[in-house]
Amino acid sequence: MRVSRRTCLTGLAGAAGCAALSRFASAQLKPTQATDLTIQTAQAEILPGTMTDGLISTSMDRPPPVLQMNQGQVFRSRVTNTLPDYTAMHWHGIRVPNGMDGVPYLTQIPFGQDEAFDYEFTPEDAGTYWYHPHCMTMDQMALGLTGVLTVAEAEDPGYDADIAFNLRDFRLNGDGEFIELWTARGAARAGTKGTVVTANWRVDAREEAPAGGLVRVRLAATDTARIYKVFVPDAEGAVIALDGHPLQQLRALPLTEDGALVLSPGQRADLVIKMPEDEGRVVDIMNAMPGGPRRIAHMRSTGAPRQRSTSEIVPLAPNPLSEPDLSNARLENFVFGWSPDGLEPNNGLCGTLGYTFWSINRTPWAGDAAEGTGPLASFRLGESVVLRLQNESPNAHPIHLHGLTFRVLRSNMRAVSRHWTDTALLLKGETLEIAFVADNPGDWAFHCHVIEHQKTGLAGYISVLA
Ligand code: C2O
Ligand code: CU
Ligand code: CU
């Protein structure tokens, strides 16, 4: 109850808010459950009125579940593969030991049909993260294998409900059948967008939420290409976290279309929304699309009014991250651009799109199984690092670093938020500086999260030497 207690102590919540606390005073974390996952083909109604075959999930007919973990408690998952293709599972944004990171050849051997891999790690950071395969990534993710992962704060912040929306597209025709999952044209440009925009595998997903309650809404952009511009036009509340990590300065709702929250592939946002007191009222979650705004999800108020107040929404406790020493940091430059020539990608067990369009520092990633591919840079354990990320291409790239959490320091084009993150959107013509402490030893994948870019060269890794 740290956060709420702090509010009461500072008097921000008022007497009513503090009285409301007593309902949560005994709230205790349930121990973390081991959750085994069986990767399999699935069937579901994605486009209303049709059935889509050939989905990939962890059950026959549902999206991958929201995995629930607790900060500081061990999590175990045996991931079993029933598909004819190889796989490996990655826990996006979680600072895991290198061997648990799920990157084929770099951190583990991918596993084939009827094989399994036991993942085990203890999340140090609370917040909203996600999981997806890092082998056969284009196919398996486009066919459905992306799930939300939550890590509960060690102290319960006392919201009335917790609702996750997994935002992603599917590429389906009018009969609900998959069409080509990617295109060379898209891979060489902004990525190939889906035809059906969903939340939790539903068009215009609907969730019930307690009337008058404070509801934590977790949005995760798990699509392979789409950059979401989320707005919540008629809601009270605040954005409390981005990319898993608490904001120390909350951003108040509503979010208008002009001030939409940009969520590029891999990014997340946590909102606390105060539901209307009356039953049956609706809060819309909108996305600004090229053809005009579209509702991607909504929440309907139910039950007796809870009469919570937005003044009870306060910053969550920060996660335990080390602040980089900027006066002593090592600077490395990374240039993201076109691939110099038509290099033959190496297939291995994890698939190739057969093209090379992109590079980091003029070196395209030669394929997951390629021999002799060295790190982009190596750092000493504990070293403070500044990476200058320069985009030479006319497309935007959500740049993602595994195993380490960074701050965006500055941009040559815009004001940036300095929150901790694992994925930063690098705009056309932009140079971003990011900083972190290299405090997790191992080889950490570093790539664009537009999967067609990742799989056609815009990938690499950095090493933190133990
Ligand atoms: Cu979300 Cu390298 O991954
Ligand atoms: Cu990741
Ligand atoms: Cu990219």
Side-chain angles (χ1 to χ4, degrees), residues 422-449:
D422 51 68
T423 308
L425 182 61
L426 186 61
L427 300 174
K428 169 185 170 181
E430 189 169 43
T431 299
L432 284 180
E433 284 181 15
I434 68 171
F436 58 88
V437 180
D439 54 4
N440 197 2
D443 292 334
W444 300 112
F446 181 62
H447 62 89
C448 178
H449 227 293

Short mmCIF file of all heavy atoms in Angstrom, two decimals, residues 422-449:
data_model
loop_
_atom_site.label_atom_id
_atom_site.label_comp_id
_atom_site.label_asym_id
_atom_site.label_seq_id
_atom_site.Cartn_x
_atom_site.Cartn_y
_atom_site.Cartn_z
N ASP A 422 12.52 -0.11 -23.04
CA ASP A 422 13.29 -1.09 -23.79
C ASP A 422 13.12 -0.90 -25.29
O ASP A 422 13.78 -1.58 -26.07
CB ASP A 422 12.87 -2.52 -23.39
CG ASP A 422 11.36 -2.67 -23.45
OD1 ASP A 422 10.80 -2.65 -24.55
OD2 ASP A 422 10.72 -2.78 -22.38
N THR A 423 12.21 -0.02 -25.70
CA THR A 423 11.91 0.17 -27.12
C THR A 423 11.66 1.66 -27.37
O THR A 423 10.75 2.24 -26.77
CB THR A 423 10.63 -0.61 -27.52
OG1 THR A 423 10.77 -1.98 -27.11
CG2 THR A 423 10.42 -0.57 -29.04
N ALA A 424 12.46 2.27 -28.25
CA ALA A 424 12.29 3.69 -28.54
C ALA A 424 12.02 3.86 -30.03
O ALA A 424 12.72 3.27 -30.86
CB ALA A 424 13.54 4.47 -28.15
N LEU A 425 11.03 4.67 -30.35
CA LEU A 425 10.69 4.89 -31.75
C LEU A 425 11.62 5.96 -32.33
O LEU A 425 11.66 7.10 -31.85
CB LEU A 425 9.23 5.33 -31.90
CG LEU A 425 8.78 5.53 -33.35
CD1 LEU A 425 8.90 4.25 -34.16
CD2 LEU A 425 7.34 6.05 -33.39
N LEU A 426 12.36 5.57 -33.36
CA LEU A 426 13.30 6.46 -34.04
C LEU A 426 12.61 6.93 -35.31
O LEU A 426 12.36 6.14 -36.23
CB LEU A 426 14.55 5.64 -34.35
CG LEU A 426 15.77 6.32 -34.94
CD1 LEU A 426 16.32 7.39 -34.01
CD2 LEU A 426 16.85 5.26 -35.21
N LEU A 427 12.29 8.22 -35.35
CA LEU A 427 11.54 8.75 -36.49
C LEU A 427 12.45 8.97 -37.69
O LEU A 427 13.68 9.00 -37.56
CB LEU A 427 10.88 10.07 -36.09
CG LEU A 427 9.88 10.00 -34.93
CD1 LEU A 427 9.42 11.40 -34.55
CD2 LEU A 427 8.69 9.11 -35.29
N LYS A 428 11.83 9.16 -38.83
CA LYS A 428 12.54 9.53 -40.05
C LYS A 428 13.41 10.76 -39.79
O LYS A 428 12.92 11.75 -39.25
CB LYS A 428 11.47 9.84 -41.12
CG LYS A 428 11.98 10.48 -42.36
CD LYS A 428 10.80 10.84 -43.26
CE LYS A 428 11.29 11.71 -44.41
NZ LYS A 428 10.19 12.11 -45.30
N GLY A 429 14.68 10.66 -40.12
CA GLY A 429 15.57 11.81 -39.97
C GLY A 429 16.00 12.10 -38.54
O GLY A 429 16.67 13.09 -38.28
N GLU A 430 15.64 11.23 -37.62
CA GLU A 430 15.90 11.52 -36.21
C GLU A 430 17.21 10.91 -35.72
O GLU A 430 17.64 9.86 -36.19
CB GLU A 430 14.76 10.98 -35.34
CG GLU A 430 14.84 11.44 -33.89
CD GLU A 430 13.59 11.13 -33.09
OE1 GLU A 430 13.03 10.02 -33.23
OE2 GLU A 430 13.15 12.00 -32.32
N THR A 431 17.84 11.59 -34.77
CA THR A 431 18.93 11.02 -33.99
C THR A 431 18.52 11.06 -32.53
O THR A 431 18.14 12.12 -32.03
CB THR A 431 20.23 11.82 -34.21
OG1 THR A 431 20.58 11.77 -35.59
CG2 THR A 431 21.37 11.24 -33.39
N LEU A 432 18.55 9.90 -31.91
CA LEU A 432 18.20 9.81 -30.49
C LEU A 432 19.45 9.41 -29.72
O LEU A 432 20.24 8.60 -30.21
CB LEU A 432 17.16 8.71 -30.25
CG LEU A 432 15.70 8.92 -30.60
CD1 LEU A 432 14.92 7.66 -30.25
CD2 LEU A 432 15.12 10.12 -29.87
N GLU A 433 19.59 9.92 -28.52
CA GLU A 433 20.62 9.42 -27.61
C GLU A 433 19.93 8.69 -26.47
O GLU A 433 19.01 9.24 -25.86
CB GLU A 433 21.50 10.55 -27.10
CG GLU A 433 22.47 11.01 -28.16
CD GLU A 433 23.41 12.11 -27.72
OE1 GLU A 433 23.50 12.35 -26.50
OE2 GLU A 433 24.02 12.73 -28.58
N ILE A 434 20.41 7.48 -26.22
CA ILE A 434 19.85 6.69 -25.13
C ILE A 434 20.99 6.32 -24.19
O ILE A 434 22.15 6.28 -24.60
CB ILE A 434 19.13 5.42 -25.63
CG1 ILE A 434 20.11 4.41 -26.25
CG2 ILE A 434 18.04 5.79 -26.67
CD1 ILE A 434 19.49 3.06 -26.56
N ALA A 435 20.65 6.08 -22.92
CA ALA A 435 21.70 5.78 -21.94
C ALA A 435 21.26 4.67 -21.01
O ALA A 435 20.07 4.54 -20.69
CB ALA A 435 22.02 7.04 -21.13
N PHE A 436 22.22 3.86 -20.60
CA PHE A 436 21.95 2.78 -19.65
C PHE A 436 23.23 2.37 -18.97
O PHE A 436 24.32 2.78 -19.37
CB PHE A 436 21.31 1.57 -20.36
CG PHE A 436 22.14 0.98 -21.48
CD1 PHE A 436 23.09 0.00 -21.21
CD2 PHE A 436 21.98 1.42 -22.79
CE1 PHE A 436 23.86 -0.54 -22.24
CE2 PHE A 436 22.74 0.88 -23.82
CZ PHE A 436 23.69 -0.09 -23.54
N VAL A 437 23.09 1.57 -17.93
CA VAL A 437 24.24 0.94 -17.29
C VAL A 437 24.30 -0.50 -17.78
O VAL A 437 23.29 -1.22 -17.73
CB VAL A 437 24.11 0.97 -15.75
CG1 VAL A 437 25.33 0.30 -15.10
CG2 VAL A 437 23.95 2.40 -15.26
N ALA A 438 25.44 -0.92 -18.28
CA ALA A 438 25.61 -2.29 -18.80
C ALA A 438 25.76 -3.25 -17.63
O ALA A 438 26.84 -3.76 -17.37
CB ALA A 438 26.81 -2.34 -19.73
N ASP A 439 24.66 -3.47 -16.91
CA ASP A 439 24.78 -4.23 -15.65
C ASP A 439 24.24 -5.66 -15.75
O ASP A 439 24.12 -6.33 -14.73
CB ASP A 439 24.10 -3.47 -14.50
CG ASP A 439 22.67 -3.11 -14.80
OD1 ASP A 439 22.14 -3.50 -15.87
OD2 ASP A 439 22.05 -2.41 -13.97
N ASN A 440 23.92 -6.12 -16.96
CA ASN A 440 23.43 -7.50 -17.11
C ASN A 440 24.34 -8.20 -18.12
O ASN A 440 24.32 -7.87 -19.30
CB ASN A 440 21.97 -7.46 -17.58
CG ASN A 440 21.25 -8.79 -17.37
OD1 ASN A 440 21.84 -9.75 -16.85
ND2 ASN A 440 20.00 -8.85 -17.80
N PRO A 441 25.16 -9.16 -17.66
CA PRO A 441 26.14 -9.75 -18.57
C PRO A 441 25.50 -10.64 -19.63
O PRO A 441 24.49 -11.30 -19.36
CB PRO A 441 27.04 -10.58 -17.64
CG PRO A 441 26.25 -10.79 -16.40
CD PRO A 441 25.27 -9.68 -16.29
N GLY A 442 26.08 -10.63 -20.81
CA GLY A 442 25.60 -11.52 -21.87
C GLY A 442 25.53 -10.82 -23.22
O GLY A 442 25.93 -9.67 -23.36
N ASP A 443 25.04 -11.56 -24.19
CA ASP A 443 24.86 -11.04 -25.55
C ASP A 443 23.39 -10.64 -25.71
O ASP A 443 22.50 -11.50 -25.62
CB ASP A 443 25.21 -12.12 -26.58
CG ASP A 443 26.70 -12.44 -26.58
OD1 ASP A 443 27.50 -11.55 -26.21
OD2 ASP A 443 27.05 -13.57 -26.94
N TRP A 444 23.16 -9.36 -25.96
CA TRP A 444 21.78 -8.85 -25.96
C TRP A 444 21.37 -8.38 -27.34
O TRP A 444 21.98 -7.49 -27.91
CB TRP A 444 21.65 -7.71 -24.94
CG TRP A 444 21.97 -8.17 -23.54
CD1 TRP A 444 23.04 -7.80 -22.79
CD2 TRP A 444 21.21 -9.10 -22.75
NE1 TRP A 444 23.00 -8.44 -21.57
CE2 TRP A 444 21.89 -9.25 -21.52
CE3 TRP A 444 20.02 -9.82 -22.96
CZ2 TRP A 444 21.42 -10.09 -20.50
CZ3 TRP A 444 19.56 -10.66 -21.94
CH2 TRP A 444 20.26 -10.77 -20.73
N ALA A 445 20.32 -9.00 -27.86
CA ALA A 445 19.81 -8.63 -29.18
C ALA A 445 19.40 -7.16 -29.19
O ALA A 445 18.92 -6.62 -28.18
CB ALA A 445 18.63 -9.53 -29.54
N PHE A 446 19.59 -6.54 -30.33
CA PHE A 446 19.34 -5.11 -30.52
C PHE A 446 18.80 -4.98 -31.93
O PHE A 446 19.52 -5.26 -32.90
CB PHE A 446 20.68 -4.38 -30.34
CG PHE A 446 20.63 -2.89 -30.47
CD1 PHE A 446 19.88 -2.12 -29.59
CD2 PHE A 446 21.36 -2.24 -31.46
CE1 PHE A 446 19.87 -0.73 -29.70
CE2 PHE A 446 21.35 -0.86 -31.57
CZ PHE A 446 20.60 -0.11 -30.68
N HIS A 447 17.53 -4.63 -32.07
CA HIS A 447 16.94 -4.70 -33.41
C HIS A 447 15.72 -3.82 -33.54
O HIS A 447 15.15 -3.37 -32.55
CB HIS A 447 16.57 -6.16 -33.75
CG HIS A 447 15.53 -6.77 -32.83
ND1 HIS A 447 14.18 -6.66 -33.05
CD2 HIS A 447 15.66 -7.48 -31.68
CE1 HIS A 447 13.52 -7.31 -32.09
NE2 HIS A 447 14.39 -7.81 -31.24
N CYS A 448 15.31 -3.63 -34.79
CA CYS A 448 14.06 -2.94 -35.06
C CYS A 448 12.92 -3.93 -34.78
O CYS A 448 13.01 -5.11 -35.10
CB CYS A 448 14.00 -2.47 -36.49
SG CYS A 448 12.43 -1.68 -36.87
N HIS A 449 11.81 -3.42 -34.20
CA HIS A 449 10.69 -4.32 -33.90
C HIS A 449 9.61 -4.35 -34.98
O HIS A 449 8.56 -4.97 -34.80
CB HIS A 449 10.09 -4.02 -32.52
CG HIS A 449 9.87 -5.26 -31.71
ND1 HIS A 449 8.92 -6.21 -32.07
CD2 HIS A 449 10.47 -5.74 -30.60
CE1 HIS A 449 8.96 -7.20 -31.19
NE2 HIS A 449 9.90 -6.95 -30.29
#
